[in-house]
Amino acid sequence: MSIGHTLLGLLESGPRHGYDLKRAFDEKFGHDRPLHYGQVYSTMSRLLKHGLVEVDGIESGAGPERKRYAITDAGVTDVERWLATPEKPEPYLQSTLYTKVVLALLTRRDAADILDTQRSEHLRSMRVLTDRKRKGDLADQLVCDHALFHLEADLRWLELTAARLDKLREAVAR
């Protein structure tokens, strides 16, 4: 996820302080990985340097000064471009799991055990996500669905690989 673009998009509804941006980000997108304050302020500094945001005001109080940021026209254009650009699908062509299976075969270890252990871990993760999905709001349900679909695809791969272990063992032994 592009944190800079996400913060810019949040600013389109109006100027905000760094604290407000962090809170909005965490509420909408950061359930699993909330932003650190330092990350917000370093990102805002970079966006300011590139002319994508501007300081809309500075407030003094009992603590440090609080800058209020606003998105610029260039920032709006940048967000529009980012939203219109499709994300490149991640092909998983050389996954760690595949590497572990092949190395197990090469070193005469039981690759089926690796696949079984991984299957159990995937199923455990799916149970956790399914429970979270049941209890979550629509946004959380969609995030969980995305993760569940990927785990289901991984499970299909695990089953296919388990069925082909003998052929894979022959192929890697050459």
Side-chain angles (χ1 to χ4, degrees), residues 12 23 39 42-43 53 55-56 60 63 72 74 87 96 125 136-137:
E12 283 200 51
R23 193 177 69 229
Q39 193 172 13
S42 65
T43 301
V53 298
V55 175
D56 186 57
S60 302
T72 62
E87 292 296 310
T96 303
S125 292
D137 60 12

Side-chain angles (χ1 to χ4, degrees), residues 14-35:
R16 296 181 188 216
H17 298 96
Y19 174 83
D20 297 329
L21 284 168
K22 181 207 176 334
R23 193 177 69 229
F25 181 97
D26 289 352
E27 182 181 301
K28 298 291 184 194
F29 310 106
H31 291 258
D32 297 314
R33 282 186 277 166
L35 282 180

Side-chain angles (χ1 to χ4, degrees), residues 38 44 60 63 67 69 94 105 152 167 172:
M44 295 312 295
S60 302
K67 292 180 184 173
Y69 298 95
Q94 196 65 21
L105 294 172
E152 286 173 5
K167 288 182 181 179
V172 300

Side-chain angles (χ1 to χ4, degrees), residues 15 29 47 55 97 104 117 135 158 164 172:
F29 310 106
L47 295 173
V55 175
L97 184 54
T117 300
K135 297 174 183 172
L158 289 166
R164 294 179 173 173
V172 300

Side-chain angles (χ1 to χ4, degrees), residues 19-159:
Y19 174 83
D20 297 329
L21 284 168
K22 181 207 176 334
R23 193 177 69 229
F25 181 97
D26 289 352
E27 182 181 301
K28 298 291 184 194
F29 310 106
H31 291 258
D32 297 314
R33 282 186 277 166
L35 282 180
H36 296 286
Y37 285 105
Q39 193 172 13
V40 172
Y41 293 111
S42 65
T43 301
M44 295 312 295
S45 178
R46 190 179 73 252
L47 295 173
L48 188 61
K49 177 182 170 187
H50 293 295
L52 302 175
V53 298
E54 61 190 8
V55 175
D56 186 57
I58 298 176
E59 297 173 7
S60 302
E65 291 182 335
R66 293 179 54 188
K67 292 180 184 173
R68 189 175 51 249
Y69 298 95
I71 191 168
T72 62
D73 290 340
V76 171
T77 300
D78 199 55
V79 170
E80 287 172 352
R81 189 176 325 126
W82 179 68
L83 290 173
T85 304
E87 292 296 310
K88 182 178 179 183
E90 296 180 28
Y92 299 99
L93 290 178
Q94 196 65 21
S95 75
T96 303
L97 184 54
Y98 171 78
T99 302
K100 285 183 174 187
V101 170
V102 170
L103 282 175
L105 294 172
L106 288 172
T107 59
R108 296 182 179 15
R109 288 183 173 90
D110 192 349
D113 281 350
I114 291 170
L115 293 170
D116 287 342
T117 300
Q118 192 62 50
R119 184 181 305 105
S120 294
E121 182 60 22
H122 270 59
L123 291 171
R124 185 198 65 74
S125 292
M126 290 175 83
R127 284 190 296 274
V128 169
L129 286 167
T130 300
D131 185 54
R132 177 177 163 180
K133 178 181 166 181
R134 258 195 304 275
K135 297 174 183 172
D137 60 12
L138 179 59
D140 213 31
Q141 291 169 12
L142 290 170
V143 167
C144 289
D145 280 339
H146 186 260
L148 285 164
F149 293 151
H150 281 277
L151 288 169
E152 286 173 5
D154 287 351
L155 282 175
R156 287 194 307 271
W157 182 85
L158 289 166
E159 295 301 324

